[in-house]
Amino acid sequence: SPTSGPGSAIALGSVATVGACMAGLVGRRLRTIKTSRAAYDPACEEGATQPLGFFDPLGFTKGKDAGNFRKFRVAETKHGRVAMMASIGTVVSHSVKFPGLENVLAGLGALTTEAALPGIAALVVFSGFLELVLWK
C-alpha cells in the first residue's frame, strides 16, 4: 500500500521531529512571556534540578533580574574554567618545563623563587588579556 514501507516511516519520523521541535519552541516562548510579566524567579532557570533544586545559600540572586543572573552565571562558568586550567597546570608543571624556566621549582614552590617572576608576569599579562579583551 502507498502509506506503508520505509519511506513513509522516515516521513512520519521527520514530521514527528519537526512537531516536537516546534512544541519546544512554543513552550519556551510561552515561558518567556509568563516570566517577563511576573517577578524574576531564578529557581525556574536551567540547572535547578532535584534533589537540591535551586542552590543559593548566600542569597546572591535575591532581588536581582534576569540580566544580573546571567552575569553571575557567566562569571561562575569562567571561574570554573580558570580553576580547571590551574589544576591541570599544577600537575603538568612537574613534567613540562618551558625554555628559560628550567630551574624553577615545580608546583606551588615556584611562587617562592626569583627565577619564576618572568613566568608569573607572563601569566598575569595573558590572563589580563583574556579577561579584558576576549572574555569581556
Side-chain angles (χ1 to χ4, degrees):
S1 93
T3 59
S4 64
S8 62
I10 292 172
L12 182 61
S14 299
V15 170
T17 302
V18 170
C21 290
M22 293 303 291
L25 290 174
V26 169
R28 184 179 300 246
R29 175 75 177 142
L30 290 176
R31 244 183 289 136
T32 303
I33 291 170
K34 287 179 186 175
T35 57
S36 64
R37 291 183 186 152
Y40 177 70
D41 183 15
C44 296
E45 289 290 329
E46 291 180 21
T49 59
Q50 296 302 325
L52 295 177
F54 181 67
F55 185 74
D56 184 18
L58 299 178
F60 286 125
T61 59
K62 286 184 182 174
K64 304 289 191 243
D65 61 355
N68 282 335
F69 183 79
R70 169 104 174 112
K71 180 180 165 186
F72 288 151
R73 180 168 273 186
V74 167
E76 180 182 11
T77 303
K78 186 189 320 181
H79 294 145
R81 289 175 180 164
V82 168
M84 286 186 278
M85 288 188 290
S87 64
I88 290 172
T90 301
V91 172
V92 170
S93 70
H94 288 282
S95 58
V96 176
K97 301 288 184 180
F98 288 109
L101 301 173
E102 294 89 2
N103 297 330
V104 177
L105 296 174
L108 296 177
L111 298 174
T112 62
T113 63
E114 189 175 322
L117 290 178
I120 293 171
L123 282 174
V124 169
V125 168
F126 180 68
S127 61
F129 171 75
L130 290 176
E131 184 72 30
L132 298 173
V133 176
L134 291 182
W135 294 341
K136 197 170 187 180

